[in-house]
Amino acid sequence: AGRLDAALGTLLKARPASDEHYAKLMLQTSGPRLNALTHALNREVEAAGEDRERYRVYLIAYAGALLVLLAYFGGNLKAANLDLERRVQLRTRELSEALKHLKESEAQLIQSEKMSSLGQMVAGVAHEINTPLAYVKNSLGTVSDKLPALNETLEDTEALLALLRAGNDADGLARQFARVSNQLAQLKQQGVLEELGGLVKDGLYGTGQMAEIVGNLKDFSRLDRSKVTSFNVNDGLQSTLLLAKHLLKSITVDRVFGQISSIVCSPSQINQVFLNLITNAAQAMGDHPGKITLTSRNEADGVVVEVADNGSGIPPEVLPKIFDPFFSTKEVGKGTGLGLSISYKIVQEHGGRIDVHSEVGKGTRFTVWLPLKPPAEAALAA
């Protein structure tokens, strides 16, 4: 206790000195600066709080404005979306109608090319029928000229038979016998019976030729058969050659037909392809004699037909365009420019392909490959 009292006394004695030092320290310049710094810091903290509060108010206001704008533009966007859908539907209808009209135009163009091909066939058929028709016409004309004499002979023969049966007119019988004998001698001398036999033979040959031409025309068009059927392309090539005979007068045709399988196709369309290719090959010769080689063979689950000529050939810059619609190197009035385009389309619809190789001055070769059966999605029409 005594020591504690002594220490307390010492502390009390030292306090006046401590207070004096503290007072001196407060009088130094760092004190006010420290207070000023504290006040400044407090003000900045308060200003930051005010800014934060102000920004929070701004943020709320902006968020509200944004929601209003979103609601406004959302309504406009919905209206714009509906308008866009309406325009898309309208445009779709317009495109559908345009596609329909395009298909109708394509069908009309194809029909036009068919009529052009038909015109060529009719010209060929008319030319080929003219010769056998002349046989029949001349034969019938000659028969018509000979019939009066035959009728007269028959009538006199009947009169002779009547006199023979009567037996009471010897002079009349003698005169009638001499008359009939003279007529028979004239008929025999003129060879009327032999001539009539030849005329009948010529007439039958002419009618047979016309029947063959009509049969080939019928086979070519397949008008009496179903649109899609089993078909041997060798038969189609033969029919086409007979109908295009008038185009091949000065052209040698080599037939290299193989033992090929029948294919399922639209025969009238395939025959149209053959007619277009053979016609082009013939026209490539111009007025000069040439040669066309027709080849058929089996290849890769299908049949290949090659139509090759030794004509003028096709320039390299023209070759890529030959299957384009309305493209033609022929003179005006000698082609529609649709033959090869339609041929390409027909072969493609059958699931096949058509290729061409040509050299200027040496000739052109078209190669057509057709599958044994067309693809399931093919829509073939005669």
Side-chain angles (χ1 to χ4, degrees), residues 287-325:
D287 298 329
H288 306 289
K291 183 175 74 173
I292 296 176
T293 303
L294 302 179
T295 306
S296 65
R297 64 178 182 272
N298 289 322
E299 183 178 298
D301 296 327
V303 171
V304 168
V305 174
E306 291 183 355
V307 180
D309 64 73
N310 61 350
S312 58
I314 303 173
E317 64 273 11
V318 173
L319 201 59
K321 304 176 184 178
I322 61 172
F323 295 115
D324 294 345

PDB file of all heavy atoms in Angstrom, residues 287-325:
ATOM      1  N   ASP A 287     -25.194 -30.313-146.649  1.00  0.00           N
ATOM      2  CA  ASP A 287     -25.551 -30.917-147.942  1.00  0.00           C
ATOM      3  C   ASP A 287     -24.565 -31.985-148.380  1.00  0.00           C
ATOM      4  O   ASP A 287     -24.650 -32.498-149.508  1.00  0.00           O
ATOM      5  CB  ASP A 287     -25.635 -29.826-149.025  1.00  0.00           C
ATOM      6  CG  ASP A 287     -26.715 -28.803-148.722  1.00  0.00           C
ATOM      7  OD1 ASP A 287     -27.726 -29.196-148.102  1.00  0.00           O
ATOM      8  OD2 ASP A 287     -26.543 -27.620-149.072  1.00  0.00           O
ATOM      9  N   HIS A 288     -23.613 -32.315-147.523  1.00  0.00           N
ATOM     10  CA  HIS A 288     -22.578 -33.272-147.883  1.00  0.00           C
ATOM     11  C   HIS A 288     -22.934 -34.667-147.361  1.00  0.00           C
ATOM     12  O   HIS A 288     -23.554 -34.805-146.309  1.00  0.00           O
ATOM     13  CB  HIS A 288     -21.227 -32.845-147.308  1.00  0.00           C
ATOM     14  CG  HIS A 288     -20.838 -31.448-147.675  1.00  0.00           C
ATOM     15  ND1 HIS A 288     -20.470 -31.096-148.960  1.00  0.00           N
ATOM     16  CD2 HIS A 288     -20.785 -30.305-146.937  1.00  0.00           C
ATOM     17  CE1 HIS A 288     -20.187 -29.803-149.004  1.00  0.00           C
ATOM     18  NE2 HIS A 288     -20.373 -29.297-147.785  1.00  0.00           N
ATOM     19  N   PRO A 289     -22.544 -35.717-148.099  1.00  0.00           N
ATOM     20  CA  PRO A 289     -22.759 -37.085-147.597  1.00  0.00           C
ATOM     21  C   PRO A 289     -22.001 -37.290-146.285  1.00  0.00           C
ATOM     22  O   PRO A 289     -20.935 -36.721-146.065  1.00  0.00           O
ATOM     23  CB  PRO A 289     -22.198 -37.970-148.719  1.00  0.00           C
ATOM     24  CG  PRO A 289     -22.173 -37.087-149.927  1.00  0.00           C
ATOM     25  CD  PRO A 289     -21.912 -35.698-149.414  1.00  0.00           C
ATOM     26  N   GLY A 290     -22.567 -38.084-145.413  1.00  0.00           N
ATOM     27  CA  GLY A 290     -21.916 -38.339-144.137  1.00  0.00           C
ATOM     28  C   GLY A 290     -22.346 -39.677-143.580  1.00  0.00           C
ATOM     29  O   GLY A 290     -23.001 -40.483-144.253  1.00  0.00           O
ATOM     30  N   LYS A 291     -21.973 -39.905-142.347  1.00  0.00           N
ATOM     31  CA  LYS A 291     -22.287 -41.184-141.710  1.00  0.00           C
ATOM     32  C   LYS A 291     -22.742 -40.944-140.278  1.00  0.00           C
ATOM     33  O   LYS A 291     -22.159 -40.135-139.549  1.00  0.00           O
ATOM     34  CB  LYS A 291     -21.073 -42.109-141.726  1.00  0.00           C
ATOM     35  CG  LYS A 291     -21.362 -43.493-141.141  1.00  0.00           C
ATOM     36  CD  LYS A 291     -20.179 -44.433-141.287  1.00  0.00           C
ATOM     37  CE  LYS A 291     -19.071 -44.089-140.330  1.00  0.00           C
ATOM     38  NZ  LYS A 291     -17.983 -45.096-140.332  1.00  0.00           N
ATOM     39  N   ILE A 292     -23.794 -41.642-139.909  1.00  0.00           N
ATOM     40  CA  ILE A 292     -24.290 -41.639-138.530  1.00  0.00           C
ATOM     41  C   ILE A 292     -24.166 -43.058-137.992  1.00  0.00           C
ATOM     42  O   ILE A 292     -24.583 -44.016-138.653  1.00  0.00           O
ATOM     43  CB  ILE A 292     -25.760 -41.169-138.456  1.00  0.00           C
ATOM     44  CG1 ILE A 292     -25.878 -39.709-138.904  1.00  0.00           C
ATOM     45  CG2 ILE A 292     -26.307 -41.324-137.047  1.00  0.00           C
ATOM     46  CD1 ILE A 292     -27.310 -39.204-138.954  1.00  0.00           C
ATOM     47  N   THR A 293     -23.610 -43.176-136.802  1.00  0.00           N
ATOM     48  CA  THR A 293     -23.449 -44.482-136.171  1.00  0.00           C
ATOM     49  C   THR A 293     -24.317 -44.530-134.915  1.00  0.00           C
ATOM     50  O   THR A 293     -24.163 -43.696-134.014  1.00  0.00           O
ATOM     51  CB  THR A 293     -21.982 -44.747-135.798  1.00  0.00           C
ATOM     52  OG1 THR A 293     -21.174 -44.642-136.980  1.00  0.00           O
ATOM     53  CG2 THR A 293     -21.826 -46.120-135.189  1.00  0.00           C
ATOM     54  N   LEU A 294     -25.218 -45.500-134.898  1.00  0.00           N
ATOM     55  CA  LEU A 294     -26.096 -45.697-133.741  1.00  0.00           C
ATOM     56  C   LEU A 294     -25.634 -46.939-133.003  1.00  0.00           C
ATOM     57  O   LEU A 294     -25.536 -48.029-133.584  1.00  0.00           O
ATOM     58  CB  LEU A 294     -27.547 -45.856-134.185  1.00  0.00           C
ATOM     59  CG  LEU A 294     -28.152 -44.700-134.995  1.00  0.00           C
ATOM     60  CD1 LEU A 294     -29.582 -45.029-135.387  1.00  0.00           C
ATOM     61  CD2 LEU A 294     -28.105 -43.400-134.197  1.00  0.00           C
ATOM     62  N   THR A 295     -25.355 -46.787-131.715  1.00  0.00           N
ATOM     63  CA  THR A 295     -24.834 -47.887-130.900  1.00  0.00           C
ATOM     64  C   THR A 295     -25.707 -48.047-129.666  1.00  0.00           C
ATOM     65  O   THR A 295     -26.123 -47.057-129.050  1.00  0.00           O
ATOM     66  CB  THR A 295     -23.383 -47.608-130.471  1.00  0.00           C
ATOM     67  OG1 THR A 295     -22.590 -47.324-131.621  1.00  0.00           O
ATOM     68  CG2 THR A 295     -22.797 -48.797-129.735  1.00  0.00           C
ATOM     69  N   SER A 296     -25.975 -49.295-129.317  1.00  0.00           N
ATOM     70  CA  SER A 296     -26.715 -49.575-128.074  1.00  0.00           C
ATOM     71  C   SER A 296     -26.026 -50.720-127.343  1.00  0.00           C
ATOM     72  O   SER A 296     -25.529 -51.666-127.973  1.00  0.00           O
ATOM     73  CB  SER A 296     -28.178 -49.924-128.376  1.00  0.00           C
ATOM     74  OG  SER A 296     -28.267 -51.126-129.115  1.00  0.00           O
ATOM     75  N   ARG A 297     -26.025 -50.628-126.018  1.00  0.00           N
ATOM     76  CA  ARG A 297     -25.398 -51.677-125.197  1.00  0.00           C
ATOM     77  C   ARG A 297     -25.884 -51.551-123.756  1.00  0.00           C
ATOM     78  O   ARG A 297     -26.392 -50.519-123.346  1.00  0.00           O
ATOM     79  CB  ARG A 297     -23.873 -51.552-125.244  1.00  0.00           C
ATOM     80  CG  ARG A 297     -23.334 -50.267-124.649  1.00  0.00           C
ATOM     81  CD  ARG A 297     -21.806 -50.225-124.685  1.00  0.00           C
ATOM     82  NE  ARG A 297     -21.283 -48.999-124.071  1.00  0.00           N
ATOM     83  CZ  ARG A 297     -21.099 -47.863-124.730  1.00  0.00           C
ATOM     84  NH1 ARG A 297     -21.392 -47.795-126.032  1.00  0.00           N
ATOM     85  NH2 ARG A 297     -20.616 -46.794-124.112  1.00  0.00           N
ATOM     86  N   ASN A 298     -25.717 -52.636-123.023  1.00  0.00           N
ATOM     87  CA  ASN A 298     -26.002 -52.615-121.590  1.00  0.00           C
ATOM     88  C   ASN A 298     -24.819 -52.020-120.848  1.00  0.00           C
ATOM     89  O   ASN A 298     -23.662 -52.254-121.213  1.00  0.00           O
ATOM     90  CB  ASN A 298     -26.277 -54.022-121.060  1.00  0.00           C
ATOM     91  CG  ASN A 298     -27.613 -54.572-121.527  1.00  0.00           C
ATOM     92  OD1 ASN A 298     -28.584 -53.835-121.620  1.00  0.00           O
ATOM     93  ND2 ASN A 298     -27.657 -55.858-121.811  1.00  0.00           N
ATOM     94  N   GLU A 299     -25.118 -51.260-119.809  1.00  0.00           N
ATOM     95  CA  GLU A 299     -24.033 -50.676-119.016  1.00  0.00           C
ATOM     96  C   GLU A 299     -24.553 -50.242-117.647  1.00  0.00           C
ATOM     97  O   GLU A 299     -25.485 -49.433-117.555  1.00  0.00           O
ATOM     98  CB  GLU A 299     -23.433 -49.473-119.746  1.00  0.00           C
ATOM     99  CG  GLU A 299     -22.239 -48.840-119.021  1.00  0.00           C
ATOM    100  CD  GLU A 299     -21.639 -47.686-119.800  1.00  0.00           C
ATOM    101  OE1 GLU A 299     -21.150 -47.928-120.921  1.00  0.00           O
ATOM    102  OE2 GLU A 299     -21.671 -46.552-119.285  1.00  0.00           O
ATOM    103  N   ALA A 300     -23.967 -50.800-116.584  1.00  0.00           N
ATOM    104  CA  ALA A 300     -24.195 -50.337-115.206  1.00  0.00           C
ATOM    105  C   ALA A 300     -25.681 -50.244-114.860  1.00  0.00           C
ATOM    106  O   ALA A 300     -26.200 -49.171-114.564  1.00  0.00           O
ATOM    107  CB  ALA A 300     -23.502 -48.997-114.970  1.00  0.00           C
ATOM    108  N   ASP A 301     -26.377 -51.390-114.901  1.00  0.00           N
ATOM    109  CA  ASP A 301     -27.804 -51.431-114.553  1.00  0.00           C
ATOM    110  C   ASP A 301     -28.632 -50.484-115.406  1.00  0.00           C
ATOM    111  O   ASP A 301     -29.601 -49.884-114.933  1.00  0.00           O
ATOM    112  CB  ASP A 301     -28.015 -51.101-113.069  1.00  0.00           C
ATOM    113  CG  ASP A 301     -27.378 -52.136-112.162  1.00  0.00           C
ATOM    114  OD1 ASP A 301     -27.349 -53.316-112.568  1.00  0.00           O
ATOM    115  OD2 ASP A 301     -26.918 -51.762-111.070  1.00  0.00           O
ATOM    116  N   GLY A 302     -28.248 -50.350-116.645  1.00  0.00           N
ATOM    117  CA  GLY A 302     -28.989 -49.485-117.551  1.00  0.00           C
ATOM    118  C   GLY A 302     -28.612 -49.778-118.993  1.00  0.00           C
ATOM    119  O   GLY A 302     -27.950 -50.779-119.302  1.00  0.00           O
ATOM    120  N   VAL A 303     -29.072 -48.912-119.872  1.00  0.00           N
ATOM    121  CA  VAL A 303     -28.832 -49.060-121.310  1.00  0.00           C
ATOM    122  C   VAL A 303     -28.214 -47.765-121.831  1.00  0.00           C
ATOM    123  O   VAL A 303     -28.638 -46.670-121.465  1.00  0.00           O
ATOM    124  CB  VAL A 303     -30.162 -49.346-122.051  1.00  0.00           C
ATOM    125  CG1 VAL A 303     -29.963 -49.287-123.554  1.00  0.00           C
ATOM    126  CG2 VAL A 303     -30.694 -50.706-121.650  1.00  0.00           C
ATOM    127  N   VAL A 304     -27.210 -47.916-122.683  1.00  0.00           N
ATOM    128  CA  VAL A 304     -26.538 -46.778-123.304  1.00  0.00           C
ATOM    129  C   VAL A 304     -26.879 -46.743-124.785  1.00  0.00           C
ATOM    130  O   VAL A 304     -26.843 -47.776-125.465  1.00  0.00           O
ATOM    131  CB  VAL A 304     -25.010 -46.856-123.112  1.00  0.00           C
ATOM    132  CG1 VAL A 304     -24.303 -45.838-124.002  1.00  0.00           C
ATOM    133  CG2 VAL A 304     -24.649 -46.598-121.661  1.00  0.00           C
ATOM    134  N   VAL A 305     -27.215 -45.553-125.268  1.00  0.00           N
ATOM    135  CA  VAL A 305     -27.439 -45.319-126.699  1.00  0.00           C
ATOM    136  C   VAL A 305     -26.518 -44.176-127.122  1.00  0.00           C
ATOM    137  O   VAL A 305     -26.538 -43.109-126.511  1.00  0.00           O
ATOM    138  CB  VAL A 305     -28.905 -44.962-126.996  1.00  0.00           C
ATOM    139  CG1 VAL A 305     -29.059 -44.576-128.468  1.00  0.00           C
ATOM    140  CG2 VAL A 305     -29.823 -46.119-126.658  1.00  0.00           C
ATOM    141  N   GLU A 306     -25.727 -44.428-128.149  1.00  0.00           N
ATOM    142  CA  GLU A 306     -24.834 -43.399-128.689  1.00  0.00           C
ATOM    143  C   GLU A 306     -25.277 -43.019-130.092  1.00  0.00           C
ATOM    144  O   GLU A 306     -25.578 -43.895-130.908  1.00  0.00           O
ATOM    145  CB  GLU A 306     -23.387 -43.897-128.724  1.00  0.00           C
ATOM    146  CG  GLU A 306     -22.758 -44.076-127.346  1.00  0.00           C
ATOM    147  CD  GLU A 306     -21.300 -44.503-127.442  1.00  0.00           C
ATOM    148  OE1 GLU A 306     -20.840 -44.748-128.584  1.00  0.00           O
ATOM    149  OE2 GLU A 306     -20.636 -44.593-126.394  1.00  0.00           O
ATOM    150  N   VAL A 307     -25.330 -41.724-130.335  1.00  0.00           N
ATOM    151  CA  VAL A 307     -25.637 -41.200-131.664  1.00  0.00           C
ATOM    152  C   VAL A 307     -24.428 -40.369-132.090  1.00  0.00           C
ATOM    153  O   VAL A 307     -24.199 -39.275-131.566  1.00  0.00           O
ATOM    154  CB  VAL A 307     -26.916 -40.343-131.665  1.00  0.00           C
ATOM    155  CG1 VAL A 307     -27.191 -39.811-133.059  1.00  0.00           C
ATOM    156  CG2 VAL A 307     -28.111 -41.150-131.153  1.00  0.00           C
ATOM    157  N   ALA A 308     -23.636 -40.908-133.010  1.00  0.00           N
ATOM    158  CA  ALA A 308     -22.393 -40.248-133.434  1.00  0.00           C
ATOM    159  C   ALA A 308     -22.471 -39.890-134.907  1.00  0.00           C
ATOM    160  O   ALA A 308     -23.023 -40.641-135.716  1.00  0.00           O
ATOM    161  CB  ALA A 308     -21.192 -41.159-133.165  1.00  0.00           C
ATOM    162  N   ASP A 309     -21.922 -38.736-135.257  1.00  0.00           N
ATOM    163  CA  ASP A 309     -21.872 -38.314-136.657  1.00  0.00           C
ATOM    164  C   ASP A 309     -20.474 -37.803-136.975  1.00  0.00           C
ATOM    165  O   ASP A 309     -19.685 -37.512-136.080  1.00  0.00           O
ATOM    166  CB  ASP A 309     -22.908 -37.218-136.937  1.00  0.00           C
ATOM    167  CG  ASP A 309     -22.637 -35.935-136.163  1.00  0.00           C
ATOM    168  OD1 ASP A 309     -21.689 -35.214-136.529  1.00  0.00           O
ATOM    169  OD2 ASP A 309     -23.372 -35.634-135.204  1.00  0.00           O
ATOM    170  N   ASN A 310     -20.175 -37.720-138.255  1.00  0.00           N
ATOM    171  CA  ASN A 310     -18.884 -37.171-138.694  1.00  0.00           C
ATOM    172  C   ASN A 310     -19.090 -35.827-139.368  1.00  0.00           C
ATOM    173  O   ASN A 310     -18.450 -35.510-140.374  1.00  0.00           O
ATOM    174  CB  ASN A 310     -18.172 -38.144-139.630  1.00  0.00           C
ATOM    175  CG  ASN A 310     -18.978 -38.436-140.892  1.00  0.00           C
ATOM    176  OD1 ASN A 310     -20.147 -38.066-140.989  1.00  0.00           O
ATOM    177  ND2 ASN A 310     -18.357 -39.091-141.865  1.00  0.00           N
ATOM    178  N   GLY A 311     -19.995 -35.025-138.795  1.00  0.00           N
ATOM    179  CA  GLY A 311     -20.311 -33.720-139.354  1.00  0.00           C
ATOM    180  C   GLY A 311     -19.336 -32.643-138.949  1.00  0.00           C
ATOM    181  O   GLY A 311     -18.156 -32.910-138.643  1.00  0.00           O
ATOM    182  N   SER A 312     -19.837 -31.417-138.895  1.00  0.00           N
ATOM    183  CA  SER A 312     -18.965 -30.258-138.684  1.00  0.00           C
ATOM    184  C   SER A 312     -18.476 -30.117-137.254  1.00  0.00           C
ATOM    185  O   SER A 312     -17.487 -29.437-136.997  1.00  0.00           O
ATOM    186  CB  SER A 312     -19.716 -28.978-139.089  1.00  0.00           C
ATOM    187  OG  SER A 312     -20.918 -28.867-138.339  1.00  0.00           O
ATOM    188  N   GLY A 313     -19.143 -30.744-136.295  1.00  0.00           N
ATOM    189  CA  GLY A 313     -18.722 -30.616-134.906  1.00  0.00           C
ATOM    190  C   GLY A 313     -19.250 -29.339-134.266  1.00  0.00           C
ATOM    191  O   GLY A 313     -19.835 -28.473-134.924  1.00  0.00           O
ATOM    192  N   ILE A 314     -19.039 -29.221-132.957  1.00  0.00           N
ATOM    193  CA  ILE A 314     -19.520 -28.078-132.187  1.00  0.00           C
ATOM    194  C   ILE A 314     -18.322 -27.350-131.588  1.00  0.00           C
ATOM    195  O   ILE A 314     -17.490 -27.970-130.922  1.00  0.00           O
ATOM    196  CB  ILE A 314     -20.470 -28.543-131.058  1.00  0.00           C
ATOM    197  CG1 ILE A 314     -21.639 -29.346-131.644  1.00  0.00           C
ATOM    198  CG2 ILE A 314     -21.003 -27.347-130.269  1.00  0.00           C
ATOM    199  CD1 ILE A 314     -22.532 -29.972-130.590  1.00  0.00           C
ATOM    200  N   PRO A 315     -18.210 -26.025-131.778  1.00  0.00           N
ATOM    201  CA  PRO A 315     -17.083 -25.277-131.209  1.00  0.00           C
ATOM    202  C   PRO A 315     -17.067 -25.370-129.686  1.00  0.00           C
ATOM    203  O   PRO A 315     -18.127 -25.454-129.047  1.00  0.00           O
ATOM    204  CB  PRO A 315     -17.343 -23.839-131.669  1.00  0.00           C
ATOM    205  CG  PRO A 315     -18.227 -23.965-132.871  1.00  0.00           C
ATOM    206  CD  PRO A 315     -19.073 -25.176-132.618  1.00  0.00           C
ATOM    207  N   PRO A 316     -15.881 -25.341-129.063  1.00  0.00           N
ATOM    208  CA  PRO A 316     -15.788 -25.468-127.595  1.00  0.00           C
ATOM    209  C   PRO A 316     -16.546 -24.376-126.852  1.00  0.00           C
ATOM    210  O   PRO A 316     -17.104 -24.634-125.775  1.00  0.00           O
ATOM    211  CB  PRO A 316     -14.280 -25.384-127.330  1.00  0.00           C
ATOM    212  CG  PRO A 316     -13.636 -25.763-128.623  1.00  0.00           C
ATOM    213  CD  PRO A 316     -14.549 -25.308-129.701  1.00  0.00           C
ATOM    214  N   GLU A 317     -16.587 -23.157-127.399  1.00  0.00           N
ATOM    215  CA  GLU A 317     -17.276 -22.073-126.693  1.00  0.00           C
ATOM    216  C   GLU A 317     -18.793 -22.218-126.768  1.00  0.00           C
ATOM    217  O   GLU A 317     -19.527 -21.609-125.978  1.00  0.00           O
ATOM    218  CB  GLU A 317     -16.868 -20.713-127.264  1.00  0.00           C
ATOM    219  CG  GLU A 317     -17.267 -20.467-128.719  1.00  0.00           C
ATOM    220  CD  GLU A 317     -16.240 -20.989-129.706  1.00  0.00           C
ATOM    221  OE1 GLU A 317     -15.319 -21.730-129.266  1.00  0.00           O
ATOM    222  OE2 GLU A 317     -16.342 -20.665-130.904  1.00  0.00           O
ATOM    223  N   VAL A 318     -19.274 -23.032-127.698  1.00  0.00           N
ATOM    224  CA  VAL A 318     -20.719 -23.238-127.854  1.00  0.00           C
ATOM    225  C   VAL A 318     -21.181 -24.468-127.070  1.00  0.00           C
ATOM    226  O   VAL A 318     -22.325 -24.530-126.601  1.00  0.00           O
ATOM    227  CB  VAL A 318     -21.071 -23.382-129.343  1.00  0.00           C
ATOM    228  CG1 VAL A 318     -22.534 -23.773-129.537  1.00  0.00           C
ATOM    229  CG2 VAL A 318     -20.772 -22.085-130.074  1.00  0.00           C
ATOM    230  N   LEU A 319     -20.299 -25.431-126.892  1.00  0.00           N
ATOM    231  CA  LEU A 319     -20.653 -26.724-126.303  1.00  0.00           C
ATOM    232  C   LEU A 319     -21.377 -26.614-124.953  1.00  0.00           C
ATOM    233  O   LEU A 319     -22.365 -27.316-124.729  1.00  0.00           O
ATOM    234  CB  LEU A 319     -19.394 -27.583-126.173  1.00  0.00           C
ATOM    235  CG  LEU A 319     -19.603 -29.090-126.054  1.00  0.00           C
ATOM    236  CD1 LEU A 319     -20.337 -29.623-127.273  1.00  0.00           C
ATOM    237  CD2 LEU A 319     -18.260 -29.806-125.902  1.00  0.00           C
ATOM    238  N   PRO A 320     -20.936 -25.739-124.021  1.00  0.00           N
ATOM    239  CA  PRO A 320     -21.634 -25.672-122.723  1.00  0.00           C
ATOM    240  C   PRO A 320     -23.060 -25.136-122.806  1.00  0.00           C
ATOM    241  O   PRO A 320     -23.813 -25.233-121.842  1.00  0.00           O
ATOM    242  CB  PRO A 320     -20.746 -24.728-121.892  1.00  0.00           C
ATOM    243  CG  PRO A 320     -19.420 -24.718-122.572  1.00  0.00           C
ATOM    244  CD  PRO A 320     -19.727 -24.887-124.027  1.00  0.00           C
ATOM    245  N   LYS A 321     -23.442 -24.550-123.947  1.00  0.00           N
ATOM    246  CA  LYS A 321     -24.753 -23.898-124.045  1.00  0.00           C
ATOM    247  C   LYS A 321     -25.788 -24.713-124.796  1.00  0.00           C
ATOM    248  O   LYS A 321     -26.942 -24.293-124.890  1.00  0.00           O
ATOM    249  CB  LYS A 321     -24.601 -22.540-124.760  1.00  0.00           C
ATOM    250  CG  LYS A 321     -23.605 -21.596-124.128  1.00  0.00           C
ATOM    251  CD  LYS A 321     -23.467 -20.325-124.969  1.00  0.00           C
ATOM    252  CE  LYS A 321     -22.396 -19.393-124.418  1.00  0.00           C
ATOM    253  NZ  LYS A 321     -22.237 -18.191-125.272  1.00  0.00           N
ATOM    254  N   ILE A 322     -25.408 -25.871-125.336  1.00  0.00           N
ATOM    255  CA  ILE A 322     -26.303 -26.551-126.269  1.00  0.00           C
ATOM    256  C   ILE A 322     -27.569 -27.067-125.605  1.00  0.00           C
ATOM    257  O   ILE A 322     -28.580 -27.286-126.289  1.00  0.00           O
ATOM    258  CB  ILE A 322     -25.571 -27.708-126.984  1.00  0.00           C
ATOM    259  CG1 ILE A 322     -25.081 -28.739-125.964  1.00  0.00           C
ATOM    260  CG2 ILE A 322     -24.423 -27.181-127.820  1.00  0.00           C
ATOM    261  CD1 ILE A 322     -24.522 -29.990-126.622  1.00  0.00           C
ATOM    262  N   PHE A 323     -27.543 -27.300-124.281  1.00  0.00           N
ATOM    263  CA  PHE A 323     -28.739 -27.779-123.593  1.00  0.00           C
ATOM    264  C   PHE A 323     -29.579 -26.643-123.017  1.00  0.00           C
ATOM    265  O   PHE A 323     -30.588 -26.898-122.360  1.00  0.00           O
ATOM    266  CB  PHE A 323     -28.360 -28.755-122.477  1.00  0.00           C
ATOM    267  CG  PHE A 323     -27.736 -30.026-122.983  1.00  0.00           C
ATOM    268  CD1 PHE A 323     -26.418 -30.339-122.671  1.00  0.00           C
ATOM    269  CD2 PHE A 323     -28.447 -30.907-123.781  1.00  0.00           C
ATOM    270  CE1 PHE A 323     -25.836 -31.507-123.124  1.00  0.00           C
ATOM    271  CE2 PHE A 323     -27.873 -32.077-124.253  1.00  0.00           C
ATOM    272  CZ  PHE A 323     -26.571 -32.374-123.920  1.00  0.00           C
ATOM    273  N   ASP A 324     -29.150 -25.384-123.240  1.00  0.00           N
ATOM    274  CA  ASP A 324     -29.930 -24.244-122.752  1.00  0.00           C
ATOM    275  C   ASP A 324     -31.171 -24.052-123.614  1.00  0.00           C
ATOM    276  O   ASP A 324     -31.097 -24.178-124.843  1.00  0.00           O
ATOM    277  CB  ASP A 324     -29.091 -22.962-122.775  1.00  0.00           C
ATOM    278  CG  ASP A 324     -27.942 -23.009-121.795  1.00  0.00           C
ATOM    279  OD1 ASP A 324     -27.964 -23.890-120.909  1.00  0.00           O
ATOM    280  OD2 ASP A 324     -27.030 -22.177-121.908  1.00  0.00           O
ATOM    281  N   PRO A 325     -32.315 -23.722-122.992  1.00  0.00           N
ATOM    282  CA  PRO A 325     -33.519 -23.479-123.789  1.00  0.00           C
ATOM    283  C   PRO A 325     -33.326 -22.326-124.767  1.00  0.00           C
ATOM    284  O   PRO A 325     -32.682 -21.320-124.443  1.00  0.00           O
ATOM    285  CB  PRO A 325     -34.585 -23.132-122.731  1.00  0.00           C
ATOM    286  CG  PRO A 325     -34.065 -23.722-121.461  1.00  0.00           C
ATOM    287  CD  PRO A 325     -32.566 -23.638-121.552  1.00  0.00           C
TER     288      PRO A 325
END
